[in-house]
Amino acid sequence: MTKQHKNFPQPQEWKSSEVEHIKINSNFLRGTIEESLKDSITGALRPDDAQLLKFHGSYQQTDRDYDDERKQQKLEPLYSFLIRVRVPAGVTTSEQWVALDDLSIKYGNNTMKLTTRQAFQLHGVIKSNFRSTIQGMNAVLLDSIATAGDVNRNVMSTSNESLSPVVGEVAEFASRISNHLLPKTNAYHEIWLNKELLKNGEVEEEPIYGKTYLPRKFKVAIAVPPYNDIDVYSNDIGLIAIVDKGQLQGYNVLVGGGLGKTYGVQETYPRLGDLIGYVSKNNALQVVEEIVKVQRDYGNRENRKLSRLKYTVDRMGVEGFVNVLEDRLGFELEASKPFEFTSNGDVFGWKKAASGRWFLGLYIEHGRVKNTDSYQLKTALRELADLHICDFRLTGNQGLVLGNITEANKVVVQALFEKYKLIDAAKISGIRRHAIACVALNTCVMAFAESERYLPSLVVKVEALLDKYGLREDEILIRMTGCPNGCGRPFLGEIGLVGRASLGASFAGDRLNTLYKEMLSEIEILENLDPLFAQYSKERQKSEKFGDFIVRKNIVAPQKNIFILK
Ligand code: SRM
Ligand code: SF4
């Protein structure tokens, strides 16, 4: 069929949103960040620079616990910056861990946050320490380029090599995608690393993005079945590794996943990626790049609430999107290959990889690496990093895997684990093991409720209910966020809490949950869960997961599973 006869959408003309103007006038993401940094009158950057700063991997924030008090005292808010470190596939060395730990002590709030996208966040860095922090990261070959902003973000992939012999190769590909899609501007190096300015006459170009970059943030993740531990369906591009006889062959390709929605704006919604076909591993990078470019050319540049790839795909129609993509590629995607996911949480405990090295999946409550009076987690991990006997791999669920450990060093790691009485995931409840909470208060500017600081105490109460019905060991996905942006992927929780309670997502992460009840207090959450757990314990089928049970019993109407084009 020729182009004329196919459903072949054309790009639209958009009226540019304010952010589009900021990008185009920024001289490839420089803006006046340099001047903003020099201004010692305020702890903040100029508004346009704060917007551009995201492309450099940082968000301007205030300590929201003190906002009201400061306002009453007629003081400006306590400004500081979150710096997000790029870690494709979540893999870092001991040396890098040591450096970040030092930076968090010297310039941050003495915590490190392991995010739901396998990145590190340092919170609480003030303006005058910004450059030193980035330079400290650079000294150990880490950067924060493009961990935020309208570009491709940290690329995720399963990081626990004991799960499959292809994890290493897939992680390398994640790193290749991340590097390939980095903005090419020299701005980051000039501003933060005091690198040479471009000489007069030297022309800067963004061959993939162009001057206005993408219409909105963009996310890529790769899963290695049967583990969907990076929630592949919630990404703009999801790749599912297809393995035959232990060899990586290529990837099934998903497009148009994304979870954010805005309450009150009907046109916004969470969406799972559509399966559009299969590509061999040799052609996969080209497919990724072309999907990015279709979004660059077709995405909504007028209304940022509707500019993610998921809305572009729905506007063009999946078939129309794929027609444009294949036309640009010059070849067609093959029919997708069979695969099966069985879980989307982390795998904990010791496991040996095909290489003979050991990997230890550790439980880190909501990804916050910190010390408390009774639990010296940060000190323990620092002591381990100082030994340089393992690498540190962040998971997509705010967890950590200690990796590449020799037989001899396994004993050393285990001894340290015991010395600091680190939590053994096997000894905590199934629901706690997989609970995810986004950061929310006190740093997130978007939060209208607690999440990370509250979920642990709620889980204690939910555990008491589960105990009543003998369900303590059952792995149930509970996820909470402080707003509907979806950073803790709550719409993929078997129990999702975002002010409202939603139920019935699948344990494998391929079905969204459905709104169950709105505006529940803690007591109401528990009162609602109690009879559901009772019923589940009595009436579930063999190995039936909680989310599937809720749907089978028509407690909520099921969301449709993913759409398969070919
Ligand atoms: Fe997120 C914005 C934290 C993963 C959807 N997210 C934010 C900001 C930066 C708030 C802001 O714009 O000022 C939050 C900073 C809070 C803080 O103080 O740290 C924030 N998001 C996070 C992290 C740290 C949550 C965590 O507890 O781990 C995660 C960092 C990931 C990373 O390393 O890059 C994080 N955010 C996600 C995810 C999950 C994922 O990617 O797997 C989502 C849902 C998937 C998606 O993108 O659709 C997500 N964050 C959003 C959105 C909604 C986007 C949308 O399409 O509507 C926003 C708001 C926005 O972009 O306007 C947002
Ligand atoms: Fe902030 Fe909302 Fe994301 Fe939570 S879900 S970190 S409250 S933007």
Side-chain angles (χ1 to χ4, degrees):
M1 213 185 288
T2 63
K3 223 160 140 172
Q4 285 73 21
H5 295 99
K6 275 183 173 177
N7 166 13
F8 201 90
Q10 298 300 313
Q12 276 176 247
E13 288 289 325
W14 303 101
K15 214 170 98 210
S16 295
S17 71
E18 197 190 326
V19 177
E20 291 300 309
H21 287 292
I22 296 175
K23 287 187 271 183
I24 206 154
N25 294 326
S26 72
N27 183 20
F28 293 100
L29 308 180
R30 289 171 180 79
T32 54
I33 294 177
E34 292 263 13
E35 288 81 348
S36 269
L37 287 173
K38 280 183 203 142
D39 182 355
S40 55
I41 306 280
T42 167
L45 302 190
R46 295 171 187 171
D48 286 7
D49 293 331
Q51 189 66 38
L52 289 172
L53 191 69
K54 296 181 188 174
F55 291 81
H56 299 255
S58 175
Y59 293 83
Q60 179 172 301
Q61 303 188 310
T62 64
D63 186 334
R64 295 194 50 196
D65 287 345
Y66 293 96
D67 277 358
D68 287 345
E69 194 180 315
R70 304 271 300 180
K71 206 169 173 184
Q72 273 166 16
Q73 293 169 347
K74 300 204 167 18
L75 295 170
E76 75 168 17
L78 273 177
Y79 287 112
S80 69
F81 297 87
L82 167 185
I83 303 182
R84 192 179 281 161
V85 187
R86 188 170 66 99
V87 195
V91 184
T92 51
T93 63
S94 305
E95 191 196 9
Q96 289 171 329
W97 185 278
V98 168
L100 290 175
D101 188 64
D102 279 344
L103 292 170
S104 75
I105 297 166
K106 200 164 170 197
Y107 302 127
N109 64 358
N110 197 10
T111 76
M112 294 194 282
K113 171 78 179 180
L114 317 183
T115 75
T116 50
R117 291 197 71 77
Q118 297 180 290
F120 288 91
Q121 283 185 181
L122 300 181
H123 286 96
V125 178
I126 57 171
K127 196 160 98 172
S128 52
N129 290 331
F130 208 132
R131 271 211 182 90
S132 309
T133 309
I134 301 258
Q135 289 172 6
M137 283 159 37
N138 186 58
V140 287
L141 306 180
L142 287 172
D143 64 64
S144 62
I145 308 175
T147 50
D150 299 342
V151 279
N152 175 58
R153 307 276 181 101
N154 200 39
V155 179
M156 299 171 80
S157 81
T158 309
S159 58
N160 189 336
E161 277 181 38
S162 66
L163 302 183
S164 158
V166 305
V167 166
E169 185 180 351
V170 167
E172 269 171 37
F173 186 51
S175 193
R176 241 180 101 207
I177 297 174
S178 176
N179 292 333
H180 187 72
L181 295 178
L182 279 183
K184 302 292 178 276
T185 169
N186 202 35
Y188 182 90
H189 296 85
E190 274 175 32
I191 297 172
W192 309 108
L193 304 173
N194 304 326
K195 290 277 157 62
E196 262 187 55
L197 303 180
L198 288 182
K199 313 253 172 355
N200 266 347
E202 236 178 296
V203 185
E204 209 163 21
E205 277 184 60
E206 288 288 6
I208 294 178
Y209 293 123
K211 271 189 173 170
T212 45
Y213 296 83
L214 294 180
R216 201 64 160 84
K217 56 170 64 166
F218 198 92
K219 298 180 173 180
V220 183
I222 317 176
V224 180
Y227 306 100
N228 183 16
D229 54 354
I230 47 75
D231 263 331
V232 71
Y233 296 104
S234 63
N235 287 265
D236 295 83
I237 300 179
L239 300 175
I240 300 171
I242 301 297
V243 181
D244 188 29
K245 298 188 188 77
Q247 302 289 317
L248 179 69
Q249 306 296 312
Y251 302 94
N252 280 348
V253 182
L254 300 157
V255 293
L259 295 185
K261 69 171 169 184
T262 309
Y263 286 157
V265 184
Q266 289 300 325
E267 305 94 309
T268 64
Y269 45 84
R271 184 185 194 280
L272 298 186
D274 298 312
L275 182 49
I276 60 167
Y278 166 87
V279 63
S280 70
K281 63 179 180 181
N282 293 339
N283 289 334
L285 189 61
Q286 192 190 347
V287 169
V288 169
E289 179 180 329
E290 287 307 329
I291 295 172
V292 168
K293 287 180 177 163
V294 177
Q295 163 66 351
R296 176 196 67 192
D297 299 342
Y298 283 75
N300 185 331
R301 301 238 174 210
E302 195 169 325
N303 182 350
R304 289 179 66 77
K305 291 209 180 306
L306 303 178
S307 52
R308 289 291 294 273
L309 178 67
K310 60 184 174 182
Y311 303 116
T312 311
V313 171
D314 278 344
R315 227 184 29 256
M316 296 171 76
V318 185
E319 208 183 67
F321 182 89
V322 172
N323 287 342
V324 172
L325 174 68
E326 289 180 342
D327 183 66
R328 290 178 175 212
L329 285 169
F331 62 85
E332 290 189 2
L333 296 176
E334 292 172 43
S336 52
K337 311 263 186 214
F339 66 95
E340 190 192 10
F341 286 127
T342 51
S343 69
N344 70 343
D346 287 342
V347 175
F348 296 96
W350 285 106
K351 271 175 103 37
K352 200 176 198 174
S355 60
R357 295 296 178 104
W358 285 95
F359 288 74
L360 174 63
L362 267 188
Y363 168 78
I364 312 277
E365 191 171 74
H366 309 322
R368 187 66 71 172
V369 178
K370 64 176 182 189
N371 286 333
T372 64
D373 290 345
S374 55
Y375 195 53
Q376 301 287 299
L377 175 67
K378 195 159 186 273
T379 306
L381 293 173
R382 173 57 187 262
E383 196 171 313
L384 179 62
D386 278 330
L387 298 175
H388 297 279
I389 56 173
C390 66
D391 52 31
F392 290 73
R393 293 159 180 248
L394 281 48
T395 75
N397 298 299
Q398 305 174 320
L400 182 64
V401 175
L402 304 174
N404 265 320
I405 301 167
T406 61
E407 195 73 50
N409 285 332
K410 181 172 180 255
V411 189
V412 181
V413 175
Q414 185 61 33
L416 212 123
F417 191 97
E418 279 156 25
K419 173 179 160 192
Y420 283 95
K421 299 190 173 55
L422 296 189
I423 293 171
D424 180 350
K427 296 195 177 137
I428 58 177
S429 69
I431 200 160
R432 182 174 294 277
R433 218 166 17 237
H434 293 298
I436 296 183
C438 74
V439 178
L441 296 170
N442 63 326
T443 53
C444 179
V445 71
M446 306 263 191
F448 55 70
E450 295 282 355
S451 182
E452 179 188 331
R453 297 196 294 195
Y454 165 64
L455 187 58
S457 66
L458 178 68
V459 167
V460 172
K461 293 168 189 159
V462 175
E463 282 171 337
L465 295 181
L466 292 165
D467 282 344
K468 268 171 57 180
Y469 306 111
L471 298 173
R472 176 164 274 264
E473 300 308 320
D474 281 67
E475 302 202 301
I476 298 175
L477 302 176
I478 187 168
R479 296 175 173 189
M480 172 178 262
T481 57
C483 87
N485 280 326
C487 301
R489 299 190 290 268
F491 309 117
L492 281 166
E494 292 176 289
I495 303 171
L497 299 170
V498 192
R500 323 163 164 203
S502 300
L503 300 173
S506 63
F507 190 72
D510 57 1
R511 184 182 62 238
L512 291 166
N513 55 25
T514 307
L515 178 62
Y516 178 57
K517 298 243 169 107
E518 303 206 42
M519 302 304 286
L520 296 181
S521 65
E522 178 178 285
I523 292 177
E524 288 164 337
I525 293 172
L526 298 170
E527 281 173 356
N528 275 280
L529 287 178
D530 193 343
L532 295 176
F533 289 154
Q535 197 184 352
Y536 177 54
S537 68
K538 286 195 211 94
E539 297 172 25
R540 67 173 159 179
Q541 293 171 347
K542 192 165 175 273
S543 314
E544 188 175 31
K545 290 295 189 180
F546 184 64
D548 295 337
F549 172 80
I550 292 286
V551 164
R552 183 172 63 80
K553 288 286 177 178
N554 290 322
I555 292 161
V556 295
Q559 299 283 343
K560 70 175 172 45
N561 283 54
I562 62 150
F563 172 78
I564 302 176
L565 182 73
K566 57 180 171 184

